Amino acid sequence: MSTTTTRDAPSAPRSRRAALAVDPQALAAEFFGTLALVFFAVGVAIFAKPFVGVLGIALAFGFVLLALVYAIGPVSGCHVNPAVTLGMVLGRRISPLTGVCYWVTQFAGGAAGAALLAWLANSVPFFKAEGRGSFGTDGYGANSLVHISAGGAFLAETILTALLVFVVLCTTHGKGAKGPAGMAIGLSLAVIHLLGIPLTGTSVNPARALGPAIFADNNAMSQVWLFLVAPLAGAVIAVVVHFLTHGLPHQATGEVPPVPASESPAGSAAARADAVEAEERDKRLE
């Protein structure tokens, strides 16, 4: 979710070199953002489901993402989801290098959030006596409330993720969401969970799926592959639909490739330096 600007030709090499750097603050934001999403939203599914039901869990995911969009969106774009990051890479909003770095921090954040939940569960007598069970994981067959098949689960996760990534691509054109865009993203995730929880538990986020599966006592790890692959397939579909409905990205027009301003602080600094140099050059020409 990055703002793009076309630079003057003399400054393009420096800008492209700067784009190879990755903002450590953005990586920290993605780590802690994914951690927060898993800890709070999955935590509601683990500890509060008997009290809030499916609606409460769906709203928890939507509200947590809504808050994160405005909190860390200006820093990293608030992907907190490898599927969203893949959509941004394919949509030419961020570089592949940034995408890979985001993936690493998102999976690490998801695992850290789940580890905190497991630590917390150890202080709850029920979990001590009964074990962690599904521990908020996603699943199909016996691990699904409606016993959906593996094929049906793959289809559901693909379509649900496609909707999420499509909404993100359509509502963000700068560094993070502006105005009501965050509401659209958060509410779409809530609606997705209302449909998806009875079917699969709702992943639409590989980092959210893998983290809890590591600490679950059931067979979640044997099924987690589906919840890693299907959301990524949904992201690809979302990008294709976005291209069809909104046109190809700016870079595909043959113009000088723009450099995402949110790629790194070095990129932002380079942009400011380029602006200063251009201003001084204009003054000399005058």
Side-chain angles (χ1 to χ4, degrees):
M1 304 181 191
S2 54
T3 303
T4 57
T5 54
T6 303
R7 310 277 167 74
D8 294 335
S11 62
R14 176 194 294 182
S15 300
R16 292 194 184 98
R17 287 195 302 270
L20 295 178
V22 180
D23 184 354
Q25 291 181 328
L27 298 182
E30 287 297 305
F31 175 84
F32 288 109
T34 311
L35 184 156
L37 180 67
V38 169
F39 181 82
F40 289 101
V42 178
V44 169
I46 293 173
F47 298 112
K49 183 177 181 179
F51 308 100
V52 301
V54 171
L55 177 61
I57 297 171
L59 291 178
F61 275 93
F63 286 157
V64 172
L65 182 59
L66 172 61
L68 290 173
V69 164
Y70 293 114
I72 66 172
V75 180
S76 68
C78 187
H79 298 185
V80 297
N81 183 338
V84 172
T85 297
L86 178 61
M88 290 293 169
V89 171
L90 297 178
R92 302 181 185 180
R93 305 276 185 93
I94 64 173
S95 70
L97 172 62
T98 298
V100 170
C101 293
Y102 271 32
W103 273 24
V104 173
T105 55
Q106 288 160 359
F107 279 112
L116 289 176
L117 287 174
W119 187 12
L120 185 60
N122 290 335
S123 66
V124 178
F126 170 81
F127 289 101
K128 283 186 175 181
E130 303 294 333
R132 288 192 289 266
S134 64
F135 203 61
T137 56
D138 311 295
Y140 53 86
N143 292 347
S144 163
L145 292 177
V146 296
H147 292 252
I148 192 171
S149 67
F154 195 98
L155 177 62
E157 286 291 324
T158 299
I159 295 174
L160 294 176
T161 308
L163 172 61
L164 176 63
V165 177
F166 180 72
V167 170
V168 171
L169 289 171
C170 291
T171 57
T172 58
H173 302 285
K175 200 174 183 182
K178 306 297 190 299
M183 290 290 294
I185 296 170
L187 290 177
S188 67
L189 185 62
V191 172
I192 285 168
H193 275 77
L194 285 175
L195 174 60
I197 287 174
L199 297 175
T200 64
T202 314
S203 167
V204 301
N205 183 337
R208 171 262 183 272
L210 181 61
I214 296 172
F215 298 93
D217 289 339
N218 65 355
N219 63 334
M221 282 299 291
S222 67
Q223 297 187 353
V224 75
W225 67 269
L226 187 148
F227 303 99
L228 301 179
V229 177
L232 300 181
V236 174
I237 293 173
V239 172
V240 172
V241 174
H242 185 261
F243 286 175
L244 293 175
T245 57
H246 290 71
L248 294 176
H250 184 67
Q251 289 93 321
T253 62
E255 301 176 13
V256 177
V259 178
S262 64
E263 290 282 343
S264 67
S268 298
R272 290 192 294 271
D274 292 341
V276 171
E277 288 182 5
E279 183 177 352
E280 292 177 351
R281 185 166 56 251
D282 292 340
K283 289 181 179 178
R284 288 195 299 268
L285 292 175
E286 290 177 358

Short mmCIF file of all heavy atoms in Angstrom, two decimals, residues 118-175:
data_model
loop_
_atom_site.label_atom_id
_atom_site.label_comp_id
_atom_site.label_asym_id
_atom_site.label_seq_id
_atom_site.Cartn_x
_atom_site.Cartn_y
_atom_site.Cartn_z
N ALA A 118 -0.61 -19.54 23.99
CA ALA A 118 -0.34 -20.84 24.61
C ALA A 118 0.15 -20.65 26.04
O ALA A 118 -0.23 -21.41 26.95
CB ALA A 118 0.69 -21.61 23.79
N TRP A 119 0.98 -19.64 26.24
CA TRP A 119 1.47 -19.33 27.58
C TRP A 119 0.31 -18.93 28.49
O TRP A 119 0.21 -19.38 29.64
CB TRP A 119 2.50 -18.20 27.48
CG TRP A 119 3.22 -17.87 28.75
CD1 TRP A 119 3.23 -18.59 29.92
CD2 TRP A 119 4.06 -16.75 28.98
NE1 TRP A 119 4.01 -17.97 30.86
CE2 TRP A 119 4.54 -16.84 30.31
CE3 TRP A 119 4.44 -15.66 28.18
CZ2 TRP A 119 5.38 -15.88 30.86
CZ3 TRP A 119 5.31 -14.71 28.74
CH2 TRP A 119 5.76 -14.83 30.05
N LEU A 120 -0.60 -18.12 27.95
CA LEU A 120 -1.76 -17.70 28.73
C LEU A 120 -2.67 -18.89 29.03
O LEU A 120 -3.23 -19.00 30.13
CB LEU A 120 -2.53 -16.63 27.95
CG LEU A 120 -3.73 -15.98 28.64
CD1 LEU A 120 -3.31 -15.27 29.92
CD2 LEU A 120 -4.41 -14.99 27.69
N ALA A 121 -2.83 -19.79 28.06
CA ALA A 121 -3.70 -20.96 28.25
C ALA A 121 -3.19 -21.84 29.37
O ALA A 121 -3.98 -22.53 30.04
CB ALA A 121 -3.80 -21.75 26.95
N ASN A 122 -1.88 -21.84 29.59
CA ASN A 122 -1.32 -22.67 30.66
C ASN A 122 -1.76 -22.22 32.04
O ASN A 122 -1.60 -22.96 33.02
CB ASN A 122 0.21 -22.65 30.59
CG ASN A 122 0.74 -23.40 29.38
OD1 ASN A 122 0.08 -24.29 28.86
ND2 ASN A 122 1.94 -23.05 28.94
N SER A 123 -2.31 -21.01 32.15
CA SER A 123 -2.79 -20.52 33.44
C SER A 123 -4.29 -20.74 33.61
O SER A 123 -4.85 -20.36 34.65
CB SER A 123 -2.48 -19.02 33.59
OG SER A 123 -3.21 -18.26 32.64
N VAL A 124 -4.94 -21.35 32.62
CA VAL A 124 -6.38 -21.60 32.67
C VAL A 124 -6.61 -23.08 33.02
O VAL A 124 -6.16 -23.96 32.28
CB VAL A 124 -7.05 -21.26 31.33
CG1 VAL A 124 -8.54 -21.57 31.38
CG2 VAL A 124 -6.81 -19.80 30.98
N PRO A 125 -7.30 -23.37 34.12
CA PRO A 125 -7.48 -24.77 34.55
C PRO A 125 -8.07 -25.67 33.47
O PRO A 125 -7.67 -26.83 33.33
CB PRO A 125 -8.43 -24.65 35.75
CG PRO A 125 -8.16 -23.28 36.29
CD PRO A 125 -7.86 -22.43 35.08
N PHE A 126 -9.03 -25.15 32.70
CA PHE A 126 -9.66 -25.98 31.67
C PHE A 126 -8.63 -26.50 30.69
O PHE A 126 -8.61 -27.68 30.34
CB PHE A 126 -10.73 -25.19 30.93
CG PHE A 126 -11.26 -25.89 29.71
CD1 PHE A 126 -12.23 -26.88 29.83
CD2 PHE A 126 -10.78 -25.59 28.44
CE1 PHE A 126 -12.71 -27.55 28.71
CE2 PHE A 126 -11.26 -26.26 27.32
CZ PHE A 126 -12.23 -27.24 27.45
N PHE A 127 -7.76 -25.60 30.20
CA PHE A 127 -6.76 -26.02 29.21
C PHE A 127 -5.70 -26.92 29.84
O PHE A 127 -5.13 -27.78 29.17
CB PHE A 127 -6.12 -24.79 28.57
CG PHE A 127 -7.03 -24.04 27.65
CD1 PHE A 127 -7.66 -22.88 28.07
CD2 PHE A 127 -7.30 -24.50 26.39
CE1 PHE A 127 -8.52 -22.18 27.24
CE2 PHE A 127 -8.16 -23.82 25.54
CZ PHE A 127 -8.78 -22.66 25.97
N LYS A 128 -5.46 -26.74 31.12
CA LYS A 128 -4.53 -27.64 31.80
C LYS A 128 -5.09 -29.06 31.87
O LYS A 128 -4.36 -30.04 31.71
CB LYS A 128 -4.24 -27.12 33.21
CG LYS A 128 -3.29 -25.95 33.28
CD LYS A 128 -2.98 -25.62 34.74
CE LYS A 128 -1.92 -24.53 34.84
NZ LYS A 128 -1.59 -24.19 36.24
N ALA A 129 -6.40 -29.15 32.10
CA ALA A 129 -7.03 -30.46 32.27
C ALA A 129 -7.36 -31.12 30.94
O ALA A 129 -7.16 -32.33 30.76
CB ALA A 129 -8.30 -30.31 33.11
N GLU A 130 -7.87 -30.33 29.99
CA GLU A 130 -8.36 -30.89 28.73
C GLU A 130 -7.36 -30.80 27.58
O GLU A 130 -7.56 -31.43 26.54
CB GLU A 130 -9.66 -30.18 28.32
CG GLU A 130 -10.77 -30.24 29.37
CD GLU A 130 -11.29 -31.65 29.58
OE1 GLU A 130 -11.19 -32.46 28.62
OE2 GLU A 130 -11.77 -31.94 30.68
N GLY A 131 -6.33 -30.01 27.73
CA GLY A 131 -5.42 -29.78 26.61
C GLY A 131 -5.90 -28.63 25.74
O GLY A 131 -7.02 -28.14 25.90
N ARG A 132 -5.07 -28.21 24.83
CA ARG A 132 -5.42 -27.03 24.03
C ARG A 132 -6.37 -27.34 22.88
O ARG A 132 -6.96 -26.45 22.29
CB ARG A 132 -4.14 -26.35 23.51
CG ARG A 132 -3.35 -25.64 24.60
CD ARG A 132 -2.29 -24.75 24.01
NE ARG A 132 -1.19 -25.50 23.44
CZ ARG A 132 -0.07 -25.82 24.08
NH1 ARG A 132 0.07 -25.45 25.34
NH2 ARG A 132 0.88 -26.49 23.49
N GLY A 133 -6.51 -28.61 22.51
CA GLY A 133 -7.46 -28.97 21.46
C GLY A 133 -7.15 -28.28 20.15
O GLY A 133 -6.00 -28.21 19.70
N SER A 134 -8.17 -27.70 19.51
CA SER A 134 -7.98 -27.05 18.21
C SER A 134 -7.27 -25.72 18.35
O SER A 134 -6.64 -25.24 17.40
CB SER A 134 -9.34 -26.83 17.53
OG SER A 134 -10.13 -25.94 18.29
N PHE A 135 -7.36 -25.08 19.50
CA PHE A 135 -6.63 -23.84 19.82
C PHE A 135 -6.83 -22.76 18.76
O PHE A 135 -5.91 -22.10 18.32
CB PHE A 135 -5.14 -24.15 19.98
CG PHE A 135 -4.40 -23.12 20.80
CD1 PHE A 135 -4.75 -22.89 22.12
CD2 PHE A 135 -3.35 -22.40 20.26
CE1 PHE A 135 -4.08 -21.94 22.88
CE2 PHE A 135 -2.67 -21.46 21.02
CZ PHE A 135 -3.03 -21.23 22.33
N GLY A 136 -8.07 -22.61 18.31
CA GLY A 136 -8.38 -21.55 17.35
C GLY A 136 -7.87 -21.79 15.95
O GLY A 136 -7.79 -20.85 15.15
N THR A 137 -7.55 -23.05 15.63
CA THR A 137 -7.01 -23.34 14.30
C THR A 137 -8.13 -23.50 13.29
O THR A 137 -9.31 -23.58 13.63
CB THR A 137 -6.18 -24.63 14.32
OG1 THR A 137 -6.99 -25.71 14.82
CG2 THR A 137 -4.96 -24.46 15.21
N ASP A 138 -7.75 -23.54 12.02
CA ASP A 138 -8.68 -23.76 10.92
C ASP A 138 -8.63 -25.23 10.53
O ASP A 138 -7.64 -25.93 10.81
CB ASP A 138 -8.30 -22.89 9.73
CG ASP A 138 -8.06 -21.45 10.15
OD1 ASP A 138 -9.01 -20.81 10.59
OD2 ASP A 138 -6.91 -20.98 10.05
N GLY A 139 -9.69 -25.71 9.87
CA GLY A 139 -9.66 -27.11 9.49
C GLY A 139 -10.80 -27.50 8.58
O GLY A 139 -11.70 -26.72 8.28
N TYR A 140 -10.76 -28.73 8.12
CA TYR A 140 -11.82 -29.30 7.29
C TYR A 140 -12.09 -30.71 7.79
O TYR A 140 -11.41 -31.22 8.68
CB TYR A 140 -11.43 -29.30 5.81
CG TYR A 140 -10.10 -29.95 5.50
CD1 TYR A 140 -10.00 -31.33 5.28
CD2 TYR A 140 -8.94 -29.18 5.41
CE1 TYR A 140 -8.78 -31.93 5.00
CE2 TYR A 140 -7.71 -29.77 5.12
CZ TYR A 140 -7.64 -31.14 4.91
OH TYR A 140 -6.44 -31.73 4.63
N GLY A 141 -13.11 -31.34 7.24
CA GLY A 141 -13.48 -32.67 7.73
C GLY A 141 -13.96 -32.58 9.17
O GLY A 141 -14.80 -31.75 9.52
N ALA A 142 -13.41 -33.43 10.03
CA ALA A 142 -13.81 -33.45 11.43
C ALA A 142 -13.43 -32.16 12.15
O ALA A 142 -13.98 -31.87 13.22
CB ALA A 142 -13.17 -34.65 12.13
N ASN A 143 -12.51 -31.38 11.60
CA ASN A 143 -12.08 -30.13 12.23
C ASN A 143 -12.94 -28.94 11.81
O ASN A 143 -12.66 -27.81 12.18
CB ASN A 143 -10.62 -29.83 11.88
CG ASN A 143 -9.67 -30.82 12.53
OD1 ASN A 143 -10.06 -31.57 13.41
ND2 ASN A 143 -8.42 -30.83 12.09
N SER A 144 -13.96 -29.19 11.03
CA SER A 144 -14.89 -28.15 10.58
C SER A 144 -16.22 -28.31 11.28
O SER A 144 -16.69 -29.44 11.50
CB SER A 144 -15.08 -28.24 9.06
OG SER A 144 -16.22 -27.53 8.64
N LEU A 145 -16.86 -27.20 11.61
CA LEU A 145 -18.16 -27.27 12.26
C LEU A 145 -19.20 -27.95 11.39
O LEU A 145 -20.13 -28.60 11.89
CB LEU A 145 -18.63 -25.86 12.64
CG LEU A 145 -17.84 -25.14 13.73
CD1 LEU A 145 -18.37 -23.73 13.93
CD2 LEU A 145 -17.89 -25.92 15.04
N VAL A 146 -19.07 -27.79 10.06
CA VAL A 146 -20.03 -28.42 9.14
C VAL A 146 -19.40 -29.58 8.38
O VAL A 146 -19.97 -30.07 7.41
CB VAL A 146 -20.57 -27.37 8.14
CG1 VAL A 146 -21.36 -26.30 8.88
CG2 VAL A 146 -19.46 -26.74 7.32
N HIS A 147 -18.19 -29.99 8.80
CA HIS A 147 -17.48 -31.12 8.18
C HIS A 147 -17.29 -30.92 6.68
O HIS A 147 -17.50 -31.85 5.88
CB HIS A 147 -18.21 -32.44 8.47
CG HIS A 147 -18.16 -32.84 9.91
ND1 HIS A 147 -17.40 -33.89 10.37
CD2 HIS A 147 -18.76 -32.32 11.01
CE1 HIS A 147 -17.54 -34.01 11.67
NE2 HIS A 147 -18.36 -33.05 12.09
N ILE A 148 -16.89 -29.75 6.29
CA ILE A 148 -16.66 -29.45 4.89
C ILE A 148 -15.51 -30.30 4.35
O ILE A 148 -14.56 -30.64 5.08
CB ILE A 148 -16.37 -27.94 4.70
CG1 ILE A 148 -16.43 -27.55 3.22
CG2 ILE A 148 -15.02 -27.56 5.30
CD1 ILE A 148 -16.36 -26.04 3.01
N SER A 149 -15.57 -30.66 3.07
CA SER A 149 -14.50 -31.45 2.46
C SER A 149 -13.27 -30.59 2.22
O SER A 149 -13.34 -29.35 2.27
CB SER A 149 -14.98 -32.04 1.13
OG SER A 149 -15.20 -30.99 0.18
N ALA A 150 -12.15 -31.24 1.93
CA ALA A 150 -10.92 -30.50 1.65
C ALA A 150 -11.09 -29.62 0.42
O ALA A 150 -10.64 -28.47 0.41
CB ALA A 150 -9.76 -31.47 1.46
N GLY A 151 -11.75 -30.15 -0.61
CA GLY A 151 -11.98 -29.35 -1.82
C GLY A 151 -12.87 -28.16 -1.54
O GLY A 151 -12.61 -27.05 -2.03
N GLY A 152 -13.92 -28.38 -0.75
CA GLY A 152 -14.79 -27.27 -0.40
C GLY A 152 -14.08 -26.23 0.44
O GLY A 152 -14.30 -25.03 0.26
N ALA A 153 -13.22 -26.68 1.35
CA ALA A 153 -12.46 -25.76 2.19
C ALA A 153 -11.51 -24.92 1.34
O ALA A 153 -11.36 -23.71 1.56
CB ALA A 153 -11.68 -26.53 3.24
N PHE A 154 -10.87 -25.58 0.36
CA PHE A 154 -9.95 -24.84 -0.51
C PHE A 154 -10.71 -23.77 -1.29
O PHE A 154 -10.25 -22.64 -1.42
CB PHE A 154 -9.26 -25.81 -1.47
CG PHE A 154 -8.05 -25.24 -2.16
CD1 PHE A 154 -6.78 -25.50 -1.68
CD2 PHE A 154 -8.19 -24.42 -3.28
CE1 PHE A 154 -5.66 -24.97 -2.30
CE2 PHE A 154 -7.08 -23.88 -3.91
CZ PHE A 154 -5.81 -24.15 -3.41
N LEU A 155 -11.87 -24.14 -1.82
CA LEU A 155 -12.67 -23.20 -2.58
C LEU A 155 -13.11 -22.03 -1.70
O LEU A 155 -13.02 -20.86 -2.10
CB LEU A 155 -13.89 -23.89 -3.17
CG LEU A 155 -14.88 -23.01 -3.95
CD1 LEU A 155 -14.19 -22.41 -5.17
CD2 LEU A 155 -16.10 -23.82 -4.36
N ALA A 156 -13.57 -22.34 -0.50
CA ALA A 156 -14.05 -21.29 0.41
C ALA A 156 -12.92 -20.34 0.77
O ALA A 156 -13.09 -19.11 0.71
CB ALA A 156 -14.64 -21.92 1.67
N GLU A 157 -11.78 -20.88 1.14
CA GLU A 157 -10.67 -20.02 1.55
C GLU A 157 -10.17 -19.17 0.38
O GLU A 157 -9.78 -18.01 0.57
CB GLU A 157 -9.52 -20.87 2.10
CG GLU A 157 -9.77 -21.44 3.48
CD GLU A 157 -9.78 -20.36 4.55
OE1 GLU A 157 -9.00 -19.40 4.45
OE2 GLU A 157 -10.58 -20.48 5.50
N THR A 158 -10.19 -19.74 -0.82
CA THR A 158 -9.74 -18.99 -1.99
C THR A 158 -10.66 -17.80 -2.26
O THR A 158 -10.21 -16.67 -2.46
CB THR A 158 -9.68 -19.90 -3.21
OG1 THR A 158 -8.76 -20.97 -2.98
CG2 THR A 158 -9.23 -19.13 -4.45
N ILE A 159 -11.96 -18.05 -2.25
CA ILE A 159 -12.92 -16.99 -2.55
C ILE A 159 -12.93 -15.92 -1.46
O ILE A 159 -12.93 -14.71 -1.74
CB ILE A 159 -14.33 -17.58 -2.73
CG1 ILE A 159 -14.37 -18.49 -3.96
CG2 ILE A 159 -15.37 -16.47 -2.85
CD1 ILE A 159 -15.68 -19.23 -4.13
N LEU A 160 -12.91 -16.35 -0.20
CA LEU A 160 -12.94 -15.40 0.90
C LEU A 160 -11.70 -14.51 0.91
O LEU A 160 -11.78 -13.30 1.14
CB LEU A 160 -13.07 -16.15 2.23
CG LEU A 160 -14.39 -16.91 2.45
CD1 LEU A 160 -14.33 -17.70 3.76
CD2 LEU A 160 -15.57 -15.96 2.45
N THR A 161 -10.54 -15.12 0.65
CA THR A 161 -9.32 -14.32 0.61
C THR A 161 -9.32 -13.38 -0.59
O THR A 161 -8.84 -12.24 -0.49
CB THR A 161 -8.07 -15.22 0.54
OG1 THR A 161 -8.13 -16.19 1.58
CG2 THR A 161 -6.79 -14.40 0.69
N ALA A 162 -9.85 -13.84 -1.72
CA ALA A 162 -9.92 -12.99 -2.90
C ALA A 162 -10.71 -11.72 -2.61
O ALA A 162 -10.33 -10.62 -3.03
CB ALA A 162 -10.53 -13.75 -4.07
N LEU A 163 -11.79 -11.86 -1.87
CA LEU A 163 -12.58 -10.68 -1.51
C LEU A 163 -11.77 -9.72 -0.65
O LEU A 163 -11.74 -8.51 -0.91
CB LEU A 163 -13.85 -11.09 -0.77
CG LEU A 163 -14.67 -9.94 -0.17
CD1 LEU A 163 -15.14 -8.99 -1.26
CD2 LEU A 163 -15.84 -10.47 0.64
N LEU A 164 -11.10 -10.25 0.36
CA LEU A 164 -10.31 -9.39 1.25
C LEU A 164 -9.23 -8.64 0.49
O LEU A 164 -9.09 -7.41 0.63
CB LEU A 164 -9.69 -10.23 2.37
CG LEU A 164 -8.76 -9.47 3.32
CD1 LEU A 164 -9.50 -8.39 4.07
CD2 LEU A 164 -8.07 -10.43 4.28
N VAL A 165 -8.45 -9.36 -0.30
CA VAL A 165 -7.34 -8.72 -1.02
C VAL A 165 -7.88 -7.74 -2.05
O VAL A 165 -7.30 -6.66 -2.26
CB VAL A 165 -6.44 -9.79 -1.68
CG1 VAL A 165 -5.33 -9.13 -2.50
CG2 VAL A 165 -5.83 -10.70 -0.61
N PHE A 166 -8.98 -8.07 -2.70
CA PHE A 166 -9.57 -7.16 -3.68
C PHE A 166 -10.00 -5.85 -3.01
O PHE A 166 -9.76 -4.77 -3.55
CB PHE A 166 -10.78 -7.83 -4.35
CG PHE A 166 -11.46 -6.98 -5.38
CD1 PHE A 166 -10.85 -6.74 -6.61
CD2 PHE A 166 -12.70 -6.42 -5.13
CE1 PHE A 166 -11.47 -5.94 -7.57
CE2 PHE A 166 -13.33 -5.63 -6.08
CZ PHE A 166 -12.71 -5.39 -7.30
N VAL A 167 -10.62 -5.94 -1.85
CA VAL A 167 -11.03 -4.73 -1.14
C VAL A 167 -9.82 -3.89 -0.76
O VAL A 167 -9.82 -2.66 -0.90
CB VAL A 167 -11.84 -5.10 0.12
CG1 VAL A 167 -12.06 -3.87 1.00
CG2 VAL A 167 -13.18 -5.71 -0.27
N VAL A 168 -8.76 -4.56 -0.30
CA VAL A 168 -7.54 -3.83 0.06
C VAL A 168 -6.95 -3.12 -1.16
O VAL A 168 -6.58 -1.94 -1.10
CB VAL A 168 -6.50 -4.78 0.68
CG1 VAL A 168 -5.16 -4.07 0.86
CG2 VAL A 168 -6.99 -5.32 2.02
N LEU A 169 -6.87 -3.82 -2.28
CA LEU A 169 -6.31 -3.22 -3.49
C LEU A 169 -7.16 -2.04 -3.98
O LEU A 169 -6.62 -1.03 -4.46
CB LEU A 169 -6.22 -4.26 -4.60
CG LEU A 169 -5.15 -5.36 -4.43
CD1 LEU A 169 -5.33 -6.44 -5.49
CD2 LEU A 169 -3.75 -4.77 -4.49
N CYS A 170 -8.46 -2.14 -3.84
CA CYS A 170 -9.36 -1.10 -4.35
C CYS A 170 -9.40 0.14 -3.46
O CYS A 170 -9.63 1.24 -3.96
CB CYS A 170 -10.77 -1.65 -4.51
SG CYS A 170 -10.96 -2.87 -5.83
N THR A 171 -9.18 -0.05 -2.16
CA THR A 171 -9.38 1.06 -1.23
C THR A 171 -8.09 1.73 -0.80
O THR A 171 -8.13 2.75 -0.11
CB THR A 171 -10.12 0.58 0.03
OG1 THR A 171 -9.38 -0.48 0.64
CG2 THR A 171 -11.52 0.11 -0.32
N THR A 172 -6.95 1.18 -1.18
CA THR A 172 -5.67 1.77 -0.79
C THR A 172 -4.87 2.12 -2.03
O THR A 172 -4.63 1.27 -2.88
CB THR A 172 -4.86 0.81 0.08
OG1 THR A 172 -4.64 -0.41 -0.64
CG2 THR A 172 -5.58 0.50 1.38
N HIS A 173 -4.46 3.35 -2.11
CA HIS A 173 -3.62 3.79 -3.22
C HIS A 173 -2.44 4.60 -2.71
O HIS A 173 -1.71 5.19 -3.48
CB HIS A 173 -4.44 4.63 -4.20
CG HIS A 173 -5.61 3.90 -4.76
ND1 HIS A 173 -5.50 2.92 -5.71
CD2 HIS A 173 -6.94 3.97 -4.47
CE1 HIS A 173 -6.69 2.42 -6.00
NE2 HIS A 173 -7.58 3.05 -5.25
N GLY A 174 -2.27 4.64 -1.41
CA GLY A 174 -1.16 5.35 -0.80
C GLY A 174 -0.60 4.53 0.31
O GLY A 174 -0.79 3.32 0.40
N LYS A 175 0.09 5.18 1.22
CA LYS A 175 0.74 4.49 2.32
C LYS A 175 -0.27 4.26 3.43
O LYS A 175 -0.46 5.08 4.31
CB LYS A 175 1.91 5.33 2.82
CG LYS A 175 2.95 4.56 3.61
CD LYS A 175 4.11 5.47 3.91
CE LYS A 175 5.20 4.72 4.64
NZ LYS A 175 6.31 5.60 4.99
#
